[in-house]
Amino acid sequence: QVQLVESGGGLVQAGGSLRLSCVVSVSIGSIKAMAWYRQCPGKQRELVAQLTSSAVTYYPDSVKGRFTISRDNANNTVYLQMNSLKPEDTAVYYCRVLRYCVYYWGQGTQVTVSS
């Protein structure tokens, strides 16, 4: 089984920054795609960043220019750098990876942005 452990969430004021981490229990080299999603209570889960094994990235317009996804192969970790945070960024953030045609999800980490 693939285990994902997320950390880095917390409370931050608008305009501040946070970096989320997702430690994966298998080599990043075996991961075909990795992504971050966020979800508010009663709303659909939303993709906020995606990175493929060929280093292609995707960001929706809502976060483009503010969020950056990256990976650290040596530590088997996926990061989400979040800058210029807004109150509407408040959500539970989830890490997701694709390995051998199977998706795996982390438990999520809460991000709260105050105005």
Side-chain angles (χ1 to χ4, degrees), residues 20-54:
L20 307 183
S21 299
C22 176
V23 179
V24 184
S25 64
V26 298
S27 173
I28 292 294
S30 68
I31 303 298
K32 293 191 178 298
M34 53 216 78
W36 288 92
Y37 287 75
R38 66 186 181 189
Q39 187 171 28
C40 298
K43 296 185 179 295
Q44 290 186 321
R45 194 166 294 184
E46 175 191 20
L47 175 68
V48 296
Q50 182 173 272
L51 175 65
T52 70
S53 59
S54 58

PDB file of all heavy atoms in Angstrom, residues 20-54:
ATOM      1  N   LEU A  20       2.887  23.362   2.225  1.00  0.00           N
ATOM      2  CA  LEU A  20       2.375  22.056   2.594  1.00  0.00           C
ATOM      3  C   LEU A  20       3.329  20.970   2.118  1.00  0.00           C
ATOM      4  O   LEU A  20       3.924  21.087   1.044  1.00  0.00           O
ATOM      5  CB  LEU A  20       0.993  21.822   1.990  1.00  0.00           C
ATOM      6  CG  LEU A  20      -0.070  22.890   2.268  1.00  0.00           C
ATOM      7  CD1 LEU A  20      -1.401  22.466   1.660  1.00  0.00           C
ATOM      8  CD2 LEU A  20      -0.212  23.152   3.755  1.00  0.00           C
ATOM      9  N   SER A  21       3.464  19.904   2.910  1.00  0.00           N
ATOM     10  CA  SER A  21       4.320  18.781   2.567  1.00  0.00           C
ATOM     11  C   SER A  21       3.504  17.498   2.535  1.00  0.00           C
ATOM     12  O   SER A  21       2.586  17.318   3.335  1.00  0.00           O
ATOM     13  CB  SER A  21       5.461  18.627   3.580  1.00  0.00           C
ATOM     14  OG  SER A  21       6.289  19.770   3.609  1.00  0.00           O
ATOM     15  N   CYS A  22       3.855  16.603   1.629  1.00  0.00           N
ATOM     16  CA  CYS A  22       3.221  15.298   1.514  1.00  0.00           C
ATOM     17  C   CYS A  22       4.319  14.262   1.350  1.00  0.00           C
ATOM     18  O   CYS A  22       4.941  14.178   0.289  1.00  0.00           O
ATOM     19  CB  CYS A  22       2.256  15.278   0.326  1.00  0.00           C
ATOM     20  SG  CYS A  22       1.493  13.673  -0.012  1.00  0.00           S
ATOM     21  N   VAL A  23       4.570  13.483   2.406  1.00  0.00           N
ATOM     22  CA  VAL A  23       5.591  12.445   2.375  1.00  0.00           C
ATOM     23  C   VAL A  23       4.959  11.150   1.874  1.00  0.00           C
ATOM     24  O   VAL A  23       3.972  10.678   2.435  1.00  0.00           O
ATOM     25  CB  VAL A  23       6.226  12.243   3.757  1.00  0.00           C
ATOM     26  CG1 VAL A  23       7.280  11.141   3.695  1.00  0.00           C
ATOM     27  CG2 VAL A  23       6.854  13.535   4.252  1.00  0.00           C
ATOM     28  N   VAL A  24       5.537  10.585   0.830  1.00  0.00           N
ATOM     29  CA  VAL A  24       5.021   9.386   0.179  1.00  0.00           C
ATOM     30  C   VAL A  24       5.877   8.192   0.589  1.00  0.00           C
ATOM     31  O   VAL A  24       7.101   8.286   0.650  1.00  0.00           O
ATOM     32  CB  VAL A  24       5.008   9.552  -1.352  1.00  0.00           C
ATOM     33  CG1 VAL A  24       4.383   8.339  -2.028  1.00  0.00           C
ATOM     34  CG2 VAL A  24       4.276  10.823  -1.744  1.00  0.00           C
ATOM     35  N   SER A  25       5.244   7.042   0.845  1.00  0.00           N
ATOM     36  CA  SER A  25       5.941   5.874   1.367  1.00  0.00           C
ATOM     37  C   SER A  25       6.680   5.076   0.303  1.00  0.00           C
ATOM     38  O   SER A  25       7.350   4.094   0.634  1.00  0.00           O
ATOM     39  CB  SER A  25       4.958   4.953   2.097  1.00  0.00           C
ATOM     40  OG  SER A  25       3.995   4.427   1.205  1.00  0.00           O
ATOM     41  N   VAL A  26       6.571   5.464  -0.960  1.00  0.00           N
ATOM     42  CA  VAL A  26       7.289   4.814  -2.047  1.00  0.00           C
ATOM     43  C   VAL A  26       8.098   5.855  -2.796  1.00  0.00           C
ATOM     44  O   VAL A  26       7.887   7.060  -2.641  1.00  0.00           O
ATOM     45  CB  VAL A  26       6.337   4.075  -3.016  1.00  0.00           C
ATOM     46  CG1 VAL A  26       5.582   2.979  -2.294  1.00  0.00           C
ATOM     47  CG2 VAL A  26       5.379   5.055  -3.669  1.00  0.00           C
ATOM     48  N   SER A  27       9.021   5.396  -3.633  1.00  0.00           N
ATOM     49  CA  SER A  27       9.868   6.303  -4.395  1.00  0.00           C
ATOM     50  C   SER A  27       9.035   7.199  -5.302  1.00  0.00           C
ATOM     51  O   SER A  27       8.110   6.742  -5.967  1.00  0.00           O
ATOM     52  CB  SER A  27      10.871   5.513  -5.224  1.00  0.00           C
ATOM     53  OG  SER A  27      11.595   6.356  -6.090  1.00  0.00           O
ATOM     54  N   ILE A  28       9.384   8.483  -5.323  1.00  0.00           N
ATOM     55  CA  ILE A  28       8.709   9.421  -6.222  1.00  0.00           C
ATOM     56  C   ILE A  28       8.900   8.993  -7.673  1.00  0.00           C
ATOM     57  O   ILE A  28       8.056   9.278  -8.525  1.00  0.00           O
ATOM     58  CB  ILE A  28       9.226  10.851  -5.995  1.00  0.00           C
ATOM     59  CG1 ILE A  28       8.803  11.366  -4.622  1.00  0.00           C
ATOM     60  CG2 ILE A  28       8.740  11.795  -7.081  1.00  0.00           C
ATOM     61  CD1 ILE A  28       7.312  11.546  -4.472  1.00  0.00           C
ATOM     62  N   GLY A  29       9.978   8.290  -7.955  1.00  0.00           N
ATOM     63  CA  GLY A  29      10.221   7.803  -9.305  1.00  0.00           C
ATOM     64  C   GLY A  29       9.164   6.843  -9.814  1.00  0.00           C
ATOM     65  O   GLY A  29       9.027   6.657 -11.024  1.00  0.00           O
ATOM     66  N   SER A  30       8.409   6.220  -8.903  1.00  0.00           N
ATOM     67  CA  SER A  30       7.343   5.308  -9.293  1.00  0.00           C
ATOM     68  C   SER A  30       5.988   5.997  -9.407  1.00  0.00           C
ATOM     69  O   SER A  30       4.996   5.340  -9.729  1.00  0.00           O
ATOM     70  CB  SER A  30       7.241   4.155  -8.289  1.00  0.00           C
ATOM     71  OG  SER A  30       6.792   4.611  -7.025  1.00  0.00           O
ATOM     72  N   ILE A  31       5.933   7.302  -9.135  1.00  0.00           N
ATOM     73  CA  ILE A  31       4.697   8.075  -9.183  1.00  0.00           C
ATOM     74  C   ILE A  31       4.554   8.718 -10.544  1.00  0.00           C
ATOM     75  O   ILE A  31       5.435   9.471 -10.979  1.00  0.00           O
ATOM     76  CB  ILE A  31       4.672   9.149  -8.086  1.00  0.00           C
ATOM     77  CG1 ILE A  31       4.839   8.506  -6.707  1.00  0.00           C
ATOM     78  CG2 ILE A  31       3.392   9.970  -8.174  1.00  0.00           C
ATOM     79  CD1 ILE A  31       3.738   7.554  -6.340  1.00  0.00           C
ATOM     80  N   LYS A  32       3.448   8.451 -11.231  1.00  0.00           N
ATOM     81  CA  LYS A  32       3.221   9.016 -12.557  1.00  0.00           C
ATOM     82  C   LYS A  32       2.673  10.432 -12.508  1.00  0.00           C
ATOM     83  O   LYS A  32       2.932  11.229 -13.403  1.00  0.00           O
ATOM     84  CB  LYS A  32       2.282   8.108 -13.356  1.00  0.00           C
ATOM     85  CG  LYS A  32       2.895   6.769 -13.705  1.00  0.00           C
ATOM     86  CD  LYS A  32       2.057   6.020 -14.721  1.00  0.00           C
ATOM     87  CE  LYS A  32       2.716   4.694 -15.088  1.00  0.00           C
ATOM     88  NZ  LYS A  32       4.038   4.907 -15.727  1.00  0.00           N
ATOM     89  N   ALA A  33       1.910  10.743 -11.469  1.00  0.00           N
ATOM     90  CA  ALA A  33       1.365  12.084 -11.321  1.00  0.00           C
ATOM     91  C   ALA A  33       1.086  12.356  -9.854  1.00  0.00           C
ATOM     92  O   ALA A  33       0.742  11.448  -9.100  1.00  0.00           O
ATOM     93  CB  ALA A  33       0.093  12.261 -12.145  1.00  0.00           C
ATOM     94  N   MET A  34       1.240  13.603  -9.456  1.00  0.00           N
ATOM     95  CA  MET A  34       0.945  14.013  -8.103  1.00  0.00           C
ATOM     96  C   MET A  34       0.174  15.328  -8.148  1.00  0.00           C
ATOM     97  O   MET A  34       0.355  16.127  -9.070  1.00  0.00           O
ATOM     98  CB  MET A  34       2.228  14.155  -7.272  1.00  0.00           C
ATOM     99  CG  MET A  34       3.286  15.051  -7.902  1.00  0.00           C
ATOM    100  SD  MET A  34       4.992  14.470  -7.609  1.00  0.00           S
ATOM    101  CE  MET A  34       5.091  13.139  -8.802  1.00  0.00           C
ATOM    102  N   ALA A  35      -0.684  15.541  -7.161  1.00  0.00           N
ATOM    103  CA  ALA A  35      -1.558  16.704  -7.200  1.00  0.00           C
ATOM    104  C   ALA A  35      -1.999  17.090  -5.800  1.00  0.00           C
ATOM    105  O   ALA A  35      -1.924  16.294  -4.856  1.00  0.00           O
ATOM    106  CB  ALA A  35      -2.784  16.431  -8.074  1.00  0.00           C
ATOM    107  N   TRP A  36      -2.450  18.329  -5.686  1.00  0.00           N
ATOM    108  CA  TRP A  36      -3.081  18.839  -4.481  1.00  0.00           C
ATOM    109  C   TRP A  36      -4.513  19.259  -4.809  1.00  0.00           C
ATOM    110  O   TRP A  36      -4.754  19.910  -5.829  1.00  0.00           O
ATOM    111  CB  TRP A  36      -2.322  20.031  -3.908  1.00  0.00           C
ATOM    112  CG  TRP A  36      -1.013  19.682  -3.270  1.00  0.00           C
ATOM    113  CD1 TRP A  36       0.213  19.653  -3.852  1.00  0.00           C
ATOM    114  CD2 TRP A  36      -0.813  19.313  -1.900  1.00  0.00           C
ATOM    115  NE1 TRP A  36       1.174  19.292  -2.940  1.00  0.00           N
ATOM    116  CE2 TRP A  36       0.568  19.077  -1.730  1.00  0.00           C
ATOM    117  CE3 TRP A  36      -1.658  19.167  -0.804  1.00  0.00           C
ATOM    118  CZ2 TRP A  36       1.123  18.699  -0.505  1.00  0.00           C
ATOM    119  CZ3 TRP A  36      -1.108  18.787   0.411  1.00  0.00           C
ATOM    120  CH2 TRP A  36       0.263  18.558   0.550  1.00  0.00           C
ATOM    121  N   TYR A  37      -5.441  18.874  -3.937  1.00  0.00           N
ATOM    122  CA  TYR A  37      -6.831  19.274  -4.015  1.00  0.00           C
ATOM    123  C   TYR A  37      -7.215  20.003  -2.735  1.00  0.00           C
ATOM    124  O   TYR A  37      -6.557  19.866  -1.703  1.00  0.00           O
ATOM    125  CB  TYR A  37      -7.747  18.059  -4.183  1.00  0.00           C
ATOM    126  CG  TYR A  37      -7.720  17.408  -5.548  1.00  0.00           C
ATOM    127  CD1 TYR A  37      -6.649  16.622  -5.954  1.00  0.00           C
ATOM    128  CD2 TYR A  37      -8.791  17.561  -6.432  1.00  0.00           C
ATOM    129  CE1 TYR A  37      -6.631  16.010  -7.195  1.00  0.00           C
ATOM    130  CE2 TYR A  37      -8.781  16.952  -7.672  1.00  0.00           C
ATOM    131  CZ  TYR A  37      -7.699  16.178  -8.049  1.00  0.00           C
ATOM    132  OH  TYR A  37      -7.694  15.572  -9.288  1.00  0.00           O
ATOM    133  N   ARG A  38      -8.307  20.761  -2.802  1.00  0.00           N
ATOM    134  CA  ARG A  38      -8.842  21.380  -1.595  1.00  0.00           C
ATOM    135  C   ARG A  38     -10.357  21.234  -1.591  1.00  0.00           C
ATOM    136  O   ARG A  38     -10.992  21.120  -2.637  1.00  0.00           O
ATOM    137  CB  ARG A  38      -8.446  22.850  -1.478  1.00  0.00           C
ATOM    138  CG  ARG A  38      -9.035  23.760  -2.548  1.00  0.00           C
ATOM    139  CD  ARG A  38      -8.457  25.157  -2.423  1.00  0.00           C
ATOM    140  NE  ARG A  38      -8.994  26.074  -3.412  1.00  0.00           N
ATOM    141  CZ  ARG A  38      -8.539  27.297  -3.621  1.00  0.00           C
ATOM    142  NH1 ARG A  38      -7.517  27.766  -2.898  1.00  0.00           N
ATOM    143  NH2 ARG A  38      -9.096  28.081  -4.546  1.00  0.00           N
ATOM    144  N   GLN A  39     -10.934  21.246  -0.381  1.00  0.00           N
ATOM    145  CA  GLN A  39     -12.364  21.044  -0.235  1.00  0.00           C
ATOM    146  C   GLN A  39     -12.895  21.815   0.966  1.00  0.00           C
ATOM    147  O   GLN A  39     -12.340  21.723   2.058  1.00  0.00           O
ATOM    148  CB  GLN A  39     -12.690  19.559  -0.080  1.00  0.00           C
ATOM    149  CG  GLN A  39     -14.175  19.238  -0.079  1.00  0.00           C
ATOM    150  CD  GLN A  39     -14.438  17.751  -0.134  1.00  0.00           C
ATOM    151  OE1 GLN A  39     -13.618  16.948   0.324  1.00  0.00           O
ATOM    152  NE2 GLN A  39     -15.561  17.368  -0.706  1.00  0.00           N
ATOM    153  N   CYS A  40     -13.974  22.562   0.750  1.00  0.00           N
ATOM    154  CA  CYS A  40     -14.705  23.231   1.812  1.00  0.00           C
ATOM    155  C   CYS A  40     -15.922  22.388   2.171  1.00  0.00           C
ATOM    156  O   CYS A  40     -16.433  21.633   1.338  1.00  0.00           O
ATOM    157  CB  CYS A  40     -15.154  24.627   1.380  1.00  0.00           C
ATOM    158  SG  CYS A  40     -13.805  25.754   0.990  1.00  0.00           S
ATOM    159  N   PRO A  41     -16.427  22.498   3.408  1.00  0.00           N
ATOM    160  CA  PRO A  41     -17.611  21.721   3.810  1.00  0.00           C
ATOM    161  C   PRO A  41     -18.794  21.960   2.879  1.00  0.00           C
ATOM    162  O   PRO A  41     -19.136  23.102   2.575  1.00  0.00           O
ATOM    163  CB  PRO A  41     -17.906  22.226   5.219  1.00  0.00           C
ATOM    164  CG  PRO A  41     -16.584  22.697   5.727  1.00  0.00           C
ATOM    165  CD  PRO A  41     -15.893  23.293   4.525  1.00  0.00           C
ATOM    166  N   GLY A  42     -19.396  20.880   2.396  1.00  0.00           N
ATOM    167  CA  GLY A  42     -20.548  20.966   1.519  1.00  0.00           C
ATOM    168  C   GLY A  42     -20.238  21.308   0.079  1.00  0.00           C
ATOM    169  O   GLY A  42     -21.168  21.493  -0.710  1.00  0.00           O
ATOM    170  N   LYS A  43     -18.963  21.394  -0.286  1.00  0.00           N
ATOM    171  CA  LYS A  43     -18.574  21.734  -1.646  1.00  0.00           C
ATOM    172  C   LYS A  43     -17.740  20.618  -2.266  1.00  0.00           C
ATOM    173  O   LYS A  43     -17.206  19.762  -1.575  1.00  0.00           O
ATOM    174  CB  LYS A  43     -17.789  23.046  -1.673  1.00  0.00           C
ATOM    175  CG  LYS A  43     -18.592  24.260  -1.238  1.00  0.00           C
ATOM    176  CD  LYS A  43     -17.798  25.527  -1.411  1.00  0.00           C
ATOM    177  CE  LYS A  43     -18.614  26.741  -1.005  1.00  0.00           C
ATOM    178  NZ  LYS A  43     -19.781  26.944  -1.892  1.00  0.00           N
ATOM    179  N   GLN A  44     -17.635  20.639  -3.606  1.00  0.00           N
ATOM    180  CA  GLN A  44     -16.854  19.644  -4.316  1.00  0.00           C
ATOM    181  C   GLN A  44     -15.361  19.860  -4.098  1.00  0.00           C
ATOM    182  O   GLN A  44     -14.900  20.983  -3.894  1.00  0.00           O
ATOM    183  CB  GLN A  44     -17.165  19.693  -5.815  1.00  0.00           C
ATOM    184  CG  GLN A  44     -18.548  19.206  -6.203  1.00  0.00           C
ATOM    185  CD  GLN A  44     -18.720  19.143  -7.710  1.00  0.00           C
ATOM    186  OE1 GLN A  44     -18.241  20.013  -8.442  1.00  0.00           O
ATOM    187  NE2 GLN A  44     -19.398  18.116  -8.182  1.00  0.00           N
ATOM    188  N   ARG A  45     -14.615  18.772  -4.157  1.00  0.00           N
ATOM    189  CA  ARG A  45     -13.169  18.852  -4.075  1.00  0.00           C
ATOM    190  C   ARG A  45     -12.623  19.466  -5.358  1.00  0.00           C
ATOM    191  O   ARG A  45     -13.024  19.093  -6.462  1.00  0.00           O
ATOM    192  CB  ARG A  45     -12.584  17.462  -3.838  1.00  0.00           C
ATOM    193  CG  ARG A  45     -11.135  17.453  -3.399  1.00  0.00           C
ATOM    194  CD  ARG A  45     -10.730  16.089  -2.850  1.00  0.00           C
ATOM    195  NE  ARG A  45     -11.424  15.773  -1.612  1.00  0.00           N
ATOM    196  CZ  ARG A  45     -11.199  14.686  -0.895  1.00  0.00           C
ATOM    197  NH1 ARG A  45     -10.293  13.803  -1.297  1.00  0.00           N
ATOM    198  NH2 ARG A  45     -11.876  14.467   0.218  1.00  0.00           N
ATOM    199  N   GLU A  46     -11.693  20.411  -5.218  1.00  0.00           N
ATOM    200  CA  GLU A  46     -11.185  21.203  -6.325  1.00  0.00           C
ATOM    201  C   GLU A  46      -9.691  20.970  -6.517  1.00  0.00           C
ATOM    202  O   GLU A  46      -8.919  21.047  -5.557  1.00  0.00           O
ATOM    203  CB  GLU A  46     -11.442  22.695  -6.067  1.00  0.00           C
ATOM    204  CG  GLU A  46     -10.845  23.636  -7.106  1.00  0.00           C
ATOM    205  CD  GLU A  46     -10.887  25.090  -6.683  1.00  0.00           C
ATOM    206  OE1 GLU A  46     -11.025  25.351  -5.470  1.00  0.00           O
ATOM    207  OE2 GLU A  46     -10.790  25.969  -7.562  1.00  0.00           O
ATOM    208  N   LEU A  47      -9.273  20.711  -7.749  1.00  0.00           N
ATOM    209  CA  LEU A  47      -7.859  20.581  -8.075  1.00  0.00           C
ATOM    210  C   LEU A  47      -7.198  21.953  -8.032  1.00  0.00           C
ATOM    211  O   LEU A  47      -7.671  22.897  -8.666  1.00  0.00           O
ATOM    212  CB  LEU A  47      -7.685  19.958  -9.455  1.00  0.00           C
ATOM    213  CG  LEU A  47      -6.259  19.859  -9.995  1.00  0.00           C
ATOM    214  CD1 LEU A  47      -5.443  18.863  -9.179  1.00  0.00           C
ATOM    215  CD2 LEU A  47      -6.266  19.456 -11.469  1.00  0.00           C
ATOM    216  N   VAL A  48      -6.074  22.066  -7.323  1.00  0.00           N
ATOM    217  CA  VAL A  48      -5.362  23.338  -7.234  1.00  0.00           C
ATOM    218  C   VAL A  48      -3.953  23.270  -7.812  1.00  0.00           C
ATOM    219  O   VAL A  48      -3.354  24.317  -8.082  1.00  0.00           O
ATOM    220  CB  VAL A  48      -5.307  23.868  -5.787  1.00  0.00           C
ATOM    221  CG1 VAL A  48      -6.712  24.167  -5.286  1.00  0.00           C
ATOM    222  CG2 VAL A  48      -4.603  22.887  -4.855  1.00  0.00           C
ATOM    223  N   ALA A  49      -3.398  22.075  -7.998  1.00  0.00           N
ATOM    224  CA  ALA A  49      -2.060  21.954  -8.576  1.00  0.00           C
ATOM    225  C   ALA A  49      -1.808  20.516  -8.991  1.00  0.00           C
ATOM    226  O   ALA A  49      -2.230  19.585  -8.300  1.00  0.00           O
ATOM    227  CB  ALA A  49      -0.979  22.398  -7.587  1.00  0.00           C
ATOM    228  N   GLN A  50      -1.113  20.314 -10.104  1.00  0.00           N
ATOM    229  CA  GLN A  50      -0.787  18.976 -10.584  1.00  0.00           C
ATOM    230  C   GLN A  50       0.600  18.975 -11.200  1.00  0.00           C
ATOM    231  O   GLN A  50       0.984  19.924 -11.887  1.00  0.00           O
ATOM    232  CB  GLN A  50      -1.817  18.503 -11.613  1.00  0.00           C
ATOM    233  CG  GLN A  50      -1.586  17.095 -12.127  1.00  0.00           C
ATOM    234  CD  GLN A  50      -2.722  16.625 -13.005  1.00  0.00           C
ATOM    235  OE1 GLN A  50      -3.701  16.067 -12.518  1.00  0.00           O
ATOM    236  NE2 GLN A  50      -2.603  16.862 -14.302  1.00  0.00           N
ATOM    237  N   LEU A  51       1.343  17.887 -10.967  1.00  0.00           N
ATOM    238  CA  LEU A  51       2.688  17.716 -11.498  1.00  0.00           C
ATOM    239  C   LEU A  51       2.820  16.292 -12.009  1.00  0.00           C
ATOM    240  O   LEU A  51       2.549  15.339 -11.278  1.00  0.00           O
ATOM    241  CB  LEU A  51       3.731  17.997 -10.419  1.00  0.00           C
ATOM    242  CG  LEU A  51       5.203  17.754 -10.770  1.00  0.00           C
ATOM    243  CD1 LEU A  51       5.664  18.715 -11.856  1.00  0.00           C
ATOM    244  CD2 LEU A  51       6.069  17.900  -9.527  1.00  0.00           C
ATOM    245  N   THR A  52       3.245  16.121 -13.258  1.00  0.00           N
ATOM    246  CA  THR A  52       3.435  14.801 -13.831  1.00  0.00           C
ATOM    247  C   THR A  52       4.883  14.363 -13.689  1.00  0.00           C
ATOM    248  O   THR A  52       5.768  15.154 -13.367  1.00  0.00           O
ATOM    249  CB  THR A  52       3.038  14.765 -15.313  1.00  0.00           C
ATOM    250  OG1 THR A  52       3.986  15.512 -16.081  1.00  0.00           O
ATOM    251  CG2 THR A  52       1.652  15.345 -15.523  1.00  0.00           C
ATOM    252  N   SER A  53       5.135  13.079 -13.959  1.00  0.00           N
ATOM    253  CA  SER A  53       6.491  12.545 -13.884  1.00  0.00           C
ATOM    254  C   SER A  53       7.410  13.159 -14.926  1.00  0.00           C
ATOM    255  O   SER A  53       8.638  13.093 -14.768  1.00  0.00           O
ATOM    256  CB  SER A  53       6.465  11.026 -14.041  1.00  0.00           C
ATOM    257  OG  SER A  53       5.890  10.654 -15.284  1.00  0.00           O
ATOM    258  N   SER A  54       6.842  13.757 -15.968  1.00  0.00           N
ATOM    259  CA  SER A  54       7.625  14.447 -16.983  1.00  0.00           C
ATOM    260  C   SER A  54       7.771  15.939 -16.682  1.00  0.00           C
ATOM    261  O   SER A  54       8.172  16.708 -17.550  1.00  0.00           O
ATOM    262  CB  SER A  54       7.007  14.250 -18.362  1.00  0.00           C
ATOM    263  OG  SER A  54       5.672  14.703 -18.412  1.00  0.00           O
TER     264      SER A  54
END
